[in-house]
Amino acid sequence: MEPRDVTGRPRRPLAVAALVAELRATTVDPAASQALRDAAAQRLARLAALTDDEGHPLVPAAHPYRWWGLNEPTRSEVPLRDRDRPVVLSGSALDQLANTCALQWFLGREVKADAPATAAQGFGNVVHVLADEVASGSTPADLDVLMERLDSVWNGLVFDAPWKSAQEKDQARAALERFLHWHVMDRAGRTPVAGEHGFDVTLEAGDYAVRIRGSMDRVEQDAEGRAYVVDFKTGKAAPTKDEVAAHPQLAVYQLAIREGAVDEVFDGRRPASGGAELVQLRQGAPKKEGGDALPKVQGQEPLAGEWVSDLLATAAGRVLDERFTPSTGQHCAHCAFRASCSAQPEGRHVVE
Ligand code: SF4
């Protein structure tokens, strides 16, 4: 056929997905004639029957078995978790379940549909490992040595482009420099007692028992002999002051201390919790707190009140009752499940 010059925007995108959408809409359009609706259904059937050389459908979306919204919702016969056993959660899972989006937690952690580790996680892992080596004394607190270690592992990380790798490496250097400055400065008389300290405690929260497993980046002892937990962050965004005051991960560390999570590194004694903090290695401190050479530090006071217990109970209740409804917010911007989320325009086809 001779190509024909068409000016202006086509009525719909000239793509298979748009064609299927239009045909589907026509089959149920009350304003369309019966003949047109039948013709649309026949075309859908033809598209659905097309296969490649190996028999795989070429247009699977044209087949009604992919029209999820036509199905009745189903309920699993097997409960997700055994009600008679403690609900196992991590500090970050708690945040997702109680504060951000339970559906995101379900799809990411339970269904394990999260995307594979990204370069951003690689960055975080490298910086965490080096910080731990310095804390444990296996690598000296010396910038040149740290940079050599960084050079030796950096090329193992996969980036989309060489310029991105170079840019991130500069950021990693800056993060390690900030870490070193922080590590050697006087932190209100606190001294490190453990790094990458694993723990496993079971906490009572209302009617539920919640088992929390995790690892504290660093445990320190303050001048009054209390335990203080430090969590290194390498992300680009930092929580607000109010969010840190109610930060579930820090709060869980503090609760875990109460339950004996750090007794072994305090010579068997049960220390009180002196608070916890986030150390944002990718971000410089405000000028009045030392400026860009130091990391931004965000502290949480020792726990008071019942709010953490309420948070644990809310999260455990959601898991046991399997209430994974989407709740939208800023966290949706980076959510990998938008196309399967009924609260988003691009995911609405799942239920409609
Ligand atoms: S897009 Fe938003 S509401 Fe939907 S699952 Fe993701 S975080 Fe939850």
Side-chain angles (χ1 to χ4, degrees):
M1 215 167 77
E2 269 298 297
R4 201 159 44 91
D5 201 12
V6 180
T7 51
R9 229 177 122 77
R11 193 169 43 80
R12 62 167 162 76
L14 298 175
V16 176
L19 174 64
V20 170
E22 182 169 337
L23 290 172
R24 279 187 62 180
T26 307
T27 58
V28 290
D29 181 0
S33 67
Q34 191 56 45
L36 188 64
R37 292 168 64 163
D38 288 349
Q42 277 167 17
R43 280 182 174 73
L44 276 173
R46 284 224 302 273
L47 285 173
L50 293 176
T51 54
D52 65 11
D53 294 344
E54 288 167 5
H56 298 126
L58 284 172
V59 193
H63 199 294
Y65 79 78
R66 290 283 296 261
W67 303 352
W68 317 121
L70 295 180
N71 297 332
E72 287 299 315
T74 54
R75 230 190 137 72
S76 169
E77 311 240 308
V78 185
L80 198 59
R81 298 289 172 90
D82 185 345
R83 280 193 164 267
D84 299 328
R85 305 186 50 181
V87 181
V88 180
L89 293 175
S90 67
S92 53
L94 189 65
D95 191 23
Q96 262 186 324
L97 275 165
N99 292 341
T100 52
C101 177
L103 179 62
Q104 194 185 41
W105 174 83
F106 176 72
L107 293 174
R109 309 289 182 101
E110 284 296 304
V111 181
K112 304 213 184 314
D114 258 339
T118 61
Q121 281 158 313
F123 177 107
N125 290 343
V126 168
V127 173
H128 271 86
V129 166
L130 294 180
D132 184 44
E133 286 183 7
V134 172
S136 68
S138 63
T139 293
D142 180 307
L143 192 58
D144 290 340
V145 179
L146 271 187
M147 290 309 151
E148 254 173 50
R149 296 275 292 122
L150 181 69
D151 283 340
S152 67
V153 294
W154 192 258
N155 290 340
L157 299 182
V158 181
F159 287 92
D160 293 339
W163 66 264
K164 187 79 188 152
S165 169
Q167 190 188 50
E168 287 289 286
K169 194 169 170 188
D170 283 346
Q171 296 270 331
R173 277 174 202 278
L176 286 171
E177 264 186 77
R178 289 193 192 101
F179 164 75
L180 266 191
H181 288 142
W182 173 89
H183 175 75
V184 297
M185 76 185 211
D186 176 31
R187 298 182 300 281
R190 296 193 328 246
T191 48
V193 289
E196 297 291 339
H197 179 72
F199 67 94
D200 184 343
V201 291
T202 300
L203 308 163
E204 296 297 325
D207 297 337
Y208 307 104
V210 182
R211 183 170 171 196
I212 306 266
R213 278 188 286 205
S215 171
M216 301 169 180
D217 287 343
R218 182 176 303 194
V219 184
E220 302 198 321
Q221 174 166 318
D222 72 8
E224 293 162 47
R226 299 176 302 179
Y228 192 94
V229 183
V230 177
D231 195 44
F232 296 119
K233 291 288 183 205
T234 51
K236 290 179 182 150
T240 63
K241 202 162 171 247
D242 288 347
E243 284 166 350
V244 176
H247 198 274
Q249 205 174 349
L250 293 183
V252 159
Y253 292 152
Q254 297 209 57
L255 269 189
I257 288 173
R258 278 195 207 159
E259 298 300 315
V262 298
D263 294 4
E264 63 189 273
V265 290
F266 276 75
D267 299 326
R269 116 183 130 77
R270 171 91 31 108
S273 170
E277 71 186 20
L278 300 175
V279 175
Q280 303 282 356
L281 295 175
R282 222 191 243 260
Q283 298 178 40
K287 247 203 178 115
K288 61 179 184 330
E289 288 163 31
D292 200 48
L294 284 174
K296 181 184 176 107
V297 174
Q298 303 182 291
Q300 183 180 67
E301 294 292 314
L303 291 183
E306 293 299 309
W307 65 270
V308 203
S309 191
D310 294 346
L311 202 75
L312 285 172
T314 306
R318 289 215 168 122
V319 174
L320 290 178
D321 298 341
E322 304 185 14
R323 281 180 278 123
F324 305 124
T325 40
S327 38
T328 54
Q330 278 176 353
H331 45 272
C332 297
H334 300 289
C335 178
F337 310 117
R338 295 177 67 96
S340 337
C341 172
S342 55
Q344 299 294 342
E346 55 268 57
R348 212 156 273 157
H349 66 274
V350 175
V351 287
E352 283 176 10

